[in-house]
Amino acid sequence: MKTREEINNIREQKIKELSIRDCIEPDTNEKHILVCGGTGCMSSKSQDIISKLEAIIIKDNIQNVKVVKTGCFGLCAKGPVVIIKPDDTFYSMVKETDVEDIINMHIKEGKVVERLLVKELDNKLVEKLDELSFYEKQKRIVLKNCGRINPEDIDEYIAFDGYKALEKVLTEMSPEEVIKTVTDSGLKGRGGAGFLTGKKWEFVKNAQADQKYVVCNADEGDPGAFMDRSVLEGTPHSVIEAMIIAGYATNANQGYIYVRAEYPIAVKRFQIAINQARKYGLLGKNIFGTQMEFDVSIRIGAGAFVCGEETALLESIEGRRGQPRIKPPFPATSGLWGKPTLINNVETYANVPTIILNGAEWYASMGTETSKGTKVFALGGNVHNVGLVEVPMGTTLREIIFDIGGGIPDGRGFKAAQTGGPSGGCITEENLDTPIDYDNLNKIGSMMGSGGLIVMDDSKCMVNLAKFYLEFTVDESCGNCTPCRIGIRKMLDILEKITTGKAEMEDLDKLEQLAEIIRKASVCGLGQTAPNPVLSTIRYFRDEYIAHIKDKKCPARECKALIEFKIIPENCKGCGLCKRNCPNNAISGEVGKPHIIDPYKCIKCGMCMENCKFKAIITE
């Protein structure tokens, strides 16, 4: 256990060593090589890069060079990422075979390895991290330490003001003052509901009970979402610190974090952080020499999407099947084991220490009138710079997709963006300049959700997109209530009729009617929001639905049942490549003469088009 004085001494000593990370000492001979250790880069073998860097440094007896495995830098499309400090040189798509050049050229000779620099869309090579367009409009609060510190080293977190907010809370503030600060900041729950965080904390504080709990919801289940995972991988101590603060404010002494099993790196690093915090006396009894007692444990979820709903999550922690409870009572008065329970998600907690240190007014100065602070988005789909983005509330979708994301690849046009995952809706080109916040997204038929943002180009079929999300919710429904269990399945049946050309116009009316009934009658948020992608796509792309139903055509040529592969005779050279690659022998023809596709045998796999070198095959 360490005293307050010892913690502060660690901070003072360590910050001198780590000032190089902020380029405070650019003239030093020391170098820190930061290598992304997030899931994306790790899957691209960044650990091999780290191991080889360390091996060469030891073999060549190179002094004053430290290799640091960090969390996600955000620009996932360019991973694995390596950054050299204090030079601030950003190397992208690094392979193990590039390590010797980085050591020999950059570390030993002071020369930049140009072939590893990021090439912007205008073909300009960018050397410095802060010069990349990806970061220009971002404001990193939640992500400030991701890519900056070793997440498995508590001293590095402490060096950058870690546990300073906790010390301030325990020694200078009352629980009421803490709650007032969080409330006045305007921080809303980042899990999707957008409820005022301070109000939720106040409800739990005011509940009378002999035991209270603090729970972190890390069951991030939206397709394409990886915000919470990246925070847990890159700065786990920020969540632990915030949970202790929440425990102090609500008079709770036990915390649980519920993480899905698909996040092994996040689980491992969070457990390391818990062990370190316990060793330093930051978890347990008499924290910072006060009467504060608090501890945190991890609970692993099996990956059920419905367990992202707070009461289903509580059921799972208690050892039962994850099914939503009827509300009221709400968890604030009757949650875990019937006791008052505070539940926030990872991103919500990660904001708290910075708010405590900088004040409510500072945080509330960012964002919009009704949505304060920043929001983390997992930017994916048809966009150049796939990655993790944190921007002030009120930033427009156009800025995120085109300025930060780099626009749509392959010269295609923008069609729509889906926010809120299976619970959200699509945003079209006409709303690209809408400032993104909770209210504005609701007005245009979408929702913030936890922060997944999937971009779609003009080749995508919006009917098929709605079907994809409905397939997901059908699979993930707990089956506890009839509207969700049966109603969503009926909606999916209709969508399958539409995408296979078997629907009539009355089916579209039935689809909308069912959607409204399910929204109103389902027990939990999963069922209540499941129809949103369908209603949203009908609202903005009704003509596509009509084309599928009346014309039996998919305008985007994505629904296989509604397209037909044909060979253009004048373009066909009779090479036979298409014939040889057809898995169902649907193509006939002699060598040197135009071939023919039998529509009755064609399984529409697209192998013929993929292998044709003369662009002789089209879809209709």
mmCIF file of all heavy atoms in Angstrom, residues 5-20:
data_model
loop_
_atom_site.group_PDB
_atom_site.id
_atom_site.type_symbol
_atom_site.label_atom_id
_atom_site.label_comp_id
_atom_site.label_asym_id
_atom_site.label_seq_id
_atom_site.Cartn_x
_atom_site.Cartn_y
_atom_site.Cartn_z
ATOM 1 N N GLU A 5 1.417 10.689 -0.163
ATOM 2 C CA GLU A 5 2.712 11.310 -0.464
ATOM 3 C C GLU A 5 3.503 10.453 -1.450
ATOM 4 O O GLU A 5 4.123 10.971 -2.388
ATOM 5 C CB GLU A 5 3.510 11.512 0.829
ATOM 6 C CG GLU A 5 2.952 12.568 1.768
ATOM 7 C CD GLU A 5 1.685 12.116 2.491
ATOM 8 O OE1 GLU A 5 1.440 10.874 2.576
ATOM 9 O OE2 GLU A 5 0.926 12.984 2.953
ATOM 10 N N GLU A 6 3.447 9.134 -1.265
ATOM 11 C CA GLU A 6 4.187 8.240 -2.157
ATOM 12 C C GLU A 6 3.592 8.249 -3.563
ATOM 13 O O GLU A 6 4.335 8.225 -4.559
ATOM 14 C CB GLU A 6 4.174 6.812 -1.586
ATOM 15 C CG GLU A 6 5.049 6.646 -0.362
ATOM 16 C CD GLU A 6 4.902 5.275 0.276
ATOM 17 O OE1 GLU A 6 3.759 4.759 0.307
ATOM 18 O OE2 GLU A 6 5.911 4.730 0.746
ATOM 19 N N ILE A 7 2.278 8.303 -3.655
ATOM 20 C CA ILE A 7 1.624 8.392 -4.967
ATOM 21 C C ILE A 7 2.037 9.673 -5.670
ATOM 22 O O ILE A 7 2.367 9.678 -6.869
ATOM 23 C CB ILE A 7 0.085 8.338 -4.826
ATOM 24 C CG1 ILE A 7 -0.378 6.989 -4.264
ATOM 25 C CG2 ILE A 7 -0.591 8.619 -6.170
ATOM 26 C CD1 ILE A 7 -0.236 5.818 -5.191
ATOM 27 N N ASN A 8 2.030 10.783 -4.949
ATOM 28 C CA ASN A 8 2.402 12.068 -5.540
ATOM 29 C C ASN A 8 3.881 12.097 -5.926
ATOM 30 O O ASN A 8 4.258 12.735 -6.920
ATOM 31 C CB ASN A 8 2.074 13.211 -4.583
ATOM 32 C CG ASN A 8 0.579 13.477 -4.495
ATOM 33 O OD1 ASN A 8 -0.118 13.413 -5.514
ATOM 34 N ND2 ASN A 8 0.070 13.770 -3.316
ATOM 35 N N ASN A 9 4.729 11.416 -5.151
ATOM 36 C CA ASN A 9 6.149 11.335 -5.506
ATOM 37 C C ASN A 9 6.336 10.550 -6.802
ATOM 38 O O ASN A 9 7.166 10.920 -7.656
ATOM 39 C CB ASN A 9 6.941 10.669 -4.378
ATOM 40 C CG ASN A 9 7.140 11.591 -3.188
ATOM 41 O OD1 ASN A 9 7.051 12.814 -3.324
ATOM 42 N ND2 ASN A 9 7.399 11.015 -2.019
ATOM 43 N N ILE A 10 5.563 9.465 -6.953
ATOM 44 C CA ILE A 10 5.609 8.701 -8.201
ATOM 45 C C ILE A 10 5.239 9.597 -9.374
ATOM 46 O O ILE A 10 5.885 9.577 -10.430
ATOM 47 C CB ILE A 10 4.655 7.483 -8.136
ATOM 48 C CG1 ILE A 10 5.185 6.442 -7.152
ATOM 49 C CG2 ILE A 10 4.462 6.854 -9.523
ATOM 50 C CD1 ILE A 10 4.212 5.310 -6.877
ATOM 51 N N ARG A 11 4.199 10.398 -9.172
ATOM 52 C CA ARG A 11 3.744 11.297 -10.242
ATOM 53 C C ARG A 11 4.850 12.285 -10.627
ATOM 54 O O ARG A 11 5.125 12.497 -11.811
ATOM 55 C CB ARG A 11 2.480 12.045 -9.790
ATOM 56 C CG ARG A 11 1.892 12.962 -10.866
ATOM 57 C CD ARG A 11 0.589 13.600 -10.416
ATOM 58 N NE ARG A 11 -0.463 12.612 -10.251
ATOM 59 C CZ ARG A 11 -1.052 12.315 -9.100
ATOM 60 N NH1 ARG A 11 -0.678 12.925 -7.989
ATOM 61 N NH2 ARG A 11 -1.999 11.395 -9.043
ATOM 62 N N GLU A 12 5.470 12.891 -9.651
ATOM 63 C CA GLU A 12 6.508 13.885 -9.926
ATOM 64 C C GLU A 12 7.720 13.269 -10.623
ATOM 65 O O GLU A 12 8.273 13.839 -11.560
ATOM 66 C CB GLU A 12 6.936 14.550 -8.619
ATOM 67 C CG GLU A 12 5.874 15.458 -8.020
ATOM 68 C CD GLU A 12 6.295 16.046 -6.684
ATOM 69 O OE1 GLU A 12 7.498 15.923 -6.351
ATOM 70 O OE2 GLU A 12 5.447 16.611 -5.980
ATOM 71 N N GLN A 13 8.120 12.090 -10.147
ATOM 72 C CA GLN A 13 9.295 11.445 -10.727
ATOM 73 C C GLN A 13 9.007 10.914 -12.134
ATOM 74 O O GLN A 13 9.823 11.052 -13.049
ATOM 75 C CB GLN A 13 9.752 10.305 -9.823
ATOM 76 C CG GLN A 13 10.292 10.770 -8.481
ATOM 77 C CD GLN A 13 10.461 9.624 -7.492
ATOM 78 O OE1 GLN A 13 10.346 8.459 -7.863
ATOM 79 N NE2 GLN A 13 10.713 9.957 -6.234
ATOM 80 N N LYS A 14 7.842 10.315 -12.284
ATOM 81 C CA LYS A 14 7.512 9.668 -13.554
ATOM 82 C C LYS A 14 7.229 10.680 -14.661
ATOM 83 O O LYS A 14 7.547 10.437 -15.828
ATOM 84 C CB LYS A 14 6.298 8.748 -13.360
ATOM 85 C CG LYS A 14 6.153 7.674 -14.430
ATOM 86 C CD LYS A 14 7.173 6.577 -14.283
ATOM 87 C CE LYS A 14 6.957 5.472 -15.301
ATOM 88 N NZ LYS A 14 7.969 4.427 -15.224
ATOM 89 N N ILE A 15 6.659 11.800 -14.312
ATOM 90 C CA ILE A 15 6.319 12.777 -15.341
ATOM 91 C C ILE A 15 7.571 13.350 -15.987
ATOM 92 O O ILE A 15 7.573 13.716 -17.160
ATOM 93 C CB ILE A 15 5.418 13.916 -14.778
ATOM 94 C CG1 ILE A 15 4.810 14.729 -15.930
ATOM 95 C CG2 ILE A 15 6.206 14.829 -13.847
ATOM 96 C CD1 ILE A 15 3.911 13.956 -16.846
ATOM 97 N N LYS A 16 8.665 13.401 -15.239
ATOM 98 C CA LYS A 16 9.929 13.871 -15.816
ATOM 99 C C LYS A 16 10.406 12.895 -16.884
ATOM 100 O O LYS A 16 10.875 13.282 -17.952
ATOM 101 C CB LYS A 16 10.988 14.019 -14.721
ATOM 102 C CG LYS A 16 10.697 15.133 -13.725
ATOM 103 C CD LYS A 16 11.748 15.161 -12.633
ATOM 104 C CE LYS A 16 11.403 16.240 -11.594
ATOM 105 N NZ LYS A 16 12.389 16.252 -10.480
ATOM 106 N N GLU A 17 10.256 11.615 -16.570
ATOM 107 C CA GLU A 17 10.661 10.574 -17.520
ATOM 108 C C GLU A 17 9.759 10.563 -18.745
ATOM 109 O O GLU A 17 10.210 10.339 -19.860
ATOM 110 C CB GLU A 17 10.620 9.214 -16.822
ATOM 111 C CG GLU A 17 10.896 8.037 -17.740
ATOM 112 C CD GLU A 17 10.590 6.707 -17.076
ATOM 113 O OE1 GLU A 17 10.635 6.623 -15.828
ATOM 114 O OE2 GLU A 17 10.290 5.743 -17.798
ATOM 115 N N LEU A 18 8.459 10.818 -18.528
ATOM 116 C CA LEU A 18 7.480 10.678 -19.615
ATOM 117 C C LEU A 18 7.161 11.982 -20.329
ATOM 118 O O LEU A 18 6.328 12.000 -21.237
ATOM 119 C CB LEU A 18 6.187 10.070 -19.065
ATOM 120 C CG LEU A 18 6.303 8.692 -18.402
ATOM 121 C CD1 LEU A 18 4.929 8.160 -18.016
ATOM 122 C CD2 LEU A 18 7.010 7.696 -19.298
ATOM 123 N N SER A 19 7.798 13.089 -19.912
ATOM 124 C CA SER A 19 7.540 14.364 -20.593
ATOM 125 C C SER A 19 7.900 14.268 -22.073
ATOM 126 O O SER A 19 7.374 15.005 -22.903
ATOM 127 C CB SER A 19 8.335 15.484 -19.934
ATOM 128 O OG SER A 19 9.728 15.213 -20.003
ATOM 129 N N ILE A 20 8.769 13.326 -22.393
ATOM 130 C CA ILE A 20 9.161 13.087 -23.789
ATOM 131 C C ILE A 20 7.941 12.698 -24.634
ATOM 132 O O ILE A 20 7.893 12.963 -25.832
ATOM 133 C CB ILE A 20 10.236 11.995 -23.839
ATOM 134 C CG1 ILE A 20 10.858 11.894 -25.216
ATOM 135 C CG2 ILE A 20 9.675 10.644 -23.429
ATOM 136 C CD1 ILE A 20 12.041 10.938 -25.257
#
